Amino acid sequence: VKDGYLHHLCVFLVYSLLLCHRKKFSFAGWGRKGNAALLALLAAGMGYIVLSGGYYPKYDQQTVMELGAALREGDVSSFETGGYLFKYPHQMGTVLYFRILSAVFGNLNYIAFELVNILFILGAYVLLVKISNEIWGEKENNVGGGILLVCLLFLPYLFYASYLYGTVTGLFFALLS
């Protein structure tokens, strides 16, 4: 599988330069426009990862995506004795999720599925900001801007945009609840 390590390095360097440029770590006055700018930067970074990487899912990711497409076509053999969903019933929710995505975007359209992951990651970040502002107060020092900066610094989760599994959607719905 082709791995674009230079792409990853470039994204990391751009993030690092942007973060080092900001000398003062007070987010008072940062406001919604600053938060929106950070979210746009996050979306652009994840979009770049997804669109330049071409990461076709492997192993369980591939299996649940293909089973979702098969379920859409009416193939329920994975539920039979010895089938994948018979052995691993905890994957039924993920397979159903990919069945729905397959109905919307077409079978095995992994790029579209990864772009949907970006929306769920951004939604999780927005929910983290809302939760932090609820806890610490939005008007005092805009903790949400700091939360988004930490999210920007946590690069591994940005790469989860290309990970087709239930992790990203699970975190979003856990925060939503």
Side-chain angles (χ1 to χ4, degrees):
V1 174
K2 177 186 164 196
D3 187 15
Y5 67 92
L6 288 175
H7 300 302
H8 302 308
L9 184 61
C10 289
V11 169
F12 175 75
L13 289 174
V14 168
Y15 283 160
S16 297
L17 288 173
L18 289 172
L19 293 174
C20 291
H21 178 65
R22 182 140 180 96
K23 295 176 184 173
K24 188 176 174 186
F25 284 98
S26 170
F27 290 95
W30 179 260
R32 293 185 191 273
K33 288 183 181 178
N35 289 353
L38 269 177
L39 282 172
L41 183 63
L42 286 163
M46 288 183 289
Y48 181 75
I49 290 167
V50 165
L51 296 175
S52 69
Y55 303 111
Y56 191 80
K58 295 181 188 178
Y59 312 114
D60 269 356
Q61 300 174 66
Q62 180 182 4
T63 302
V64 294
M65 184 181 71
E66 290 173 351
L67 288 176
L71 192 60
R72 179 175 178 243
E73 301 297 325
D75 179 8
V76 294
S77 61
S78 61
F79 289 101
E80 296 172 358
T81 303
Y84 184 84
L85 292 175
F86 179 83
K87 291 179 186 176
Y88 308 106
H90 60 280
Q91 298 284 34
M92 286 184 200
T94 308
V95 170
L96 179 60
Y97 170 68
F98 283 112
R99 191 256 178 253
I100 293 167
L101 287 180
S102 293
V104 174
F105 298 109
N107 290 343
L108 308 177
N109 190 351
Y110 71 97
I111 297 290
F113 301 166
E114 290 172 353
L115 292 174
V116 169
N117 267 357
I118 292 173
L119 297 177
F120 278 114
I121 291 171
L122 291 174
Y125 288 160
V126 167
L127 290 170
L128 283 172
V129 168
K130 287 183 180 276
I131 291 168
S132 64
N133 286 339
E134 187 71 28
I135 293 171
W136 291 292
E138 181 177 6
K139 295 183 180 180
E140 293 177 17
N141 55 8
N142 188 20
V143 174
I147 295 293
L148 282 177
L149 182 64
V150 170
C151 292
L152 183 70
L153 286 171
F154 188 63
L155 293 177
Y157 196 61
L158 301 182
F159 289 98
Y160 266 74
S162 64
Y163 185 62
L164 294 181
Y165 217 49
T167 309
V168 170
T169 53
L171 178 64
F172 172 79
F173 286 113
L175 290 170
L176 186 63
S177 69

